Amino acid sequence: MSDPVASEQAIATGAGAPARLHAGFIKNNLRDYGMLLSLVAIMALFQVLTDGTLLRPLNLTNLVLQNSYIVIMALGMLLVIVAGHIDLSVGSVCGFVGALAAVLMVSYGWHFVPATAVCLVAGGIVGAAQGWFVAYGKIPSFIVTLAGMLVFKGLTLALLQGQSIGPFPVEFQRLSSGFIPDVFDGADLRTTSLLIGLAAAVALGVFSLRGRARQAKYGMENEPYAFFIAKTLLFVAAIVFLTYLLSTYKGLPNVLIVMALLILAYDFVTRRTTVGRRIYALGGNEKAARLSGIKTERLAFLTFVNMGVLAALAGLVFAARLNTATPKAGLGFELDVIAACFIGGASASGGVGKVMGAVIGAFVMGVMNNGMSILGIGIDYQQVIKGLVLLAAVFIDVYNKNK
């Protein structure tokens, strides 16, 4: 005769275990999945409200081009925020580097390759200067980068002498306005771009499966299989679908390839390298990180150098897209970049944040900007809505932390 108590325990540990496991996983990862689902919901909403305009190939291409420099800077800003700091100067540095590129290429006739190299080095020097004051001078990053924002706005005006400079060489413009050439010469479908997208989708699926198998081999905690499959299929389907849409227009933009490579590189650094782990340790508890042997000053310094280089790259991309350098370039970019990181799950107190979260946050902001512009919503109300979204994201982060 069976024991009723044993039967109840078996049920509790058997049939009920997967449900509790799923519930616990959702609770612990609500922010990550919530942002991904929010992006899908926002895109679906604006797709309906704009009568299908949002996901038309032309608008989708514009959406990528408009947000490329925000995504690039968000990768660097994420590391700065995770390390427990902030950088308010990225918009001004972006505009300053664009102005420097214009002076070198247009005014002095430099070839775009050495001019681009000089601009990237200049961005690194700017980041190093600010990082030194923060890391070794012990001045709060808010103050240092606020000063930097004013300084580089002034230097941009000085370089351009209050006027716009352009156009840039055609080869340089291709950085932002060029597309992957189609070796098959497709008229209605850019086959090369489509094949690249399909290869990327397959690679994502394969590497995801291998990563899960490696985690299981070493006894590391895995997400429930149903969630893993759903998430992987969603990403694979999104890559294939969006690549197909872009392939029906002009194909994959060059800057999209640059973005994708940077995202993969920074995702690898933050998740698989010692440097990445140390940055999270620095933001989580600086004193404990220092006592464990981490050179916290040097690490903080390097995050600002990295931010300077990425701000310079974003400035080049933005200047190439506009085909001119203007005194107001980069105005307000820092707000969108910081908002993208916080909306994507980065914590204002440091130590928390993911690369894919920052990318998703950047596209949440981008889709909102694009969709509201298509609907004819004024810039005044756009700013109000974006501000409320940012406040809600930070409030949720603080609320979850307090719980």
Side-chain angles (χ1 to χ4, degrees), residues 86-354:
I86 198 73
D87 191 342
L88 301 177
S89 69
V90 291
S92 298
V93 174
C94 181
F96 168 72
V97 170
L100 178 61
V103 170
L104 294 177
M105 290 186 226
V106 180
S107 300
Y108 292 104
W110 281 35
H111 190 272
F112 75 96
V113 173
T116 298
V118 168
C119 289
L120 293 177
V121 170
I125 293 173
V126 168
Q130 297 189 127
W132 187 90
F133 283 109
V134 173
Y136 298 103
K138 303 301 179 183
I139 302 175
S141 58
F142 182 91
I143 301 300
V144 172
T145 57
L146 179 61
M149 179 173 68
L150 299 174
V151 167
F152 293 107
K153 278 184 179 179
L155 290 178
T156 302
L157 286 169
L159 273 177
L160 298 177
Q161 297 181 351
Q163 299 177 343
S164 298
I165 297 180
F168 286 98
V170 175
E171 296 83 4
F172 178 71
Q173 294 178 40
R174 293 198 182 104
L175 172 64
S176 186
S177 59
F179 295 83
I180 298 297
D182 188 15
V183 298
F184 299 100
D185 296 325
D188 299 323
L189 185 68
R190 301 295 186 268
T191 310
T192 302
S193 294
L194 182 59
L195 291 176
I196 291 174
L198 292 175
V202 171
L204 173 65
V206 171
F207 283 115
S208 297
L209 289 170
R210 289 180 59 184
R212 181 180 176 85
R214 184 167 54 250
Q215 288 181 326
K217 179 181 177 181
Y218 292 105
M220 299 173 65
E221 183 180 356
N222 268 321
E223 61 186 329
Y225 192 70
F227 288 92
F228 169 76
I229 291 297
K231 184 180 72 173
T232 304
L233 288 177
L234 177 61
F235 276 114
V236 168
I239 290 174
V240 174
F241 176 64
L242 296 177
T243 301
Y244 171 76
L245 290 178
L246 292 172
S247 299
T248 60
Y249 179 53
K250 291 185 178 180
L252 298 177
N254 292 335
V255 73
L256 179 60
I257 303 300
V258 174
M259 268 198 316
L261 293 176
L262 286 173
I263 291 169
L264 291 175
Y266 278 82
D267 185 63
F268 177 81
V269 168
T270 54
R271 294 199 302 139
R272 301 293 178 85
T273 67
T274 303
V275 173
R277 297 188 189 98
R278 287 178 175 176
I279 291 174
Y280 283 91
L282 169 62
N285 190 323
E286 182 179 0
K287 184 178 291 185
R290 187 184 301 111
L291 292 174
S292 67
I294 296 174
K295 296 181 179 179
T296 54
E297 289 86 0
R298 186 176 69 178
L299 203 58
F301 172 78
L302 291 176
T303 60
F304 278 93
V305 174
N306 174 74
M307 183 70 259
V309 173
L310 289 182
L313 177 59
L316 293 172
V317 170
F318 184 69
R321 180 170 177 266
L322 285 187
N323 197 22
T324 186
T326 67
K328 291 188 177 181
L331 184 64
F333 283 4
E334 63 278 350
L335 302 179
D336 283 341
V337 173
I338 293 171
C341 293
F342 285 143
I343 290 173
S347 174
S349 57
V352 177
K354 294 182 179 179

Side-chain angles (χ1 to χ4, degrees), residues 342-396:
F342 285 143
I343 290 173
S347 174
S349 57
V352 177
K354 294 182 179 179
V355 166
M356 287 309 301
V359 173
I360 290 173
F363 278 105
V364 165
M365 297 293 291
V367 170
M368 288 175 58
N369 286 335
N370 185 266
M372 289 189 290
S373 297
I374 295 173
L375 293 173
I377 297 175
I379 189 67
D380 46 358
Y381 288 106
Q382 289 188 33
Q383 298 296 333
V384 170
I385 293 171
K386 289 194 294 183
L388 292 175
V389 170
L390 174 59
L391 181 62
V394 177
F395 173 78
I396 292 172

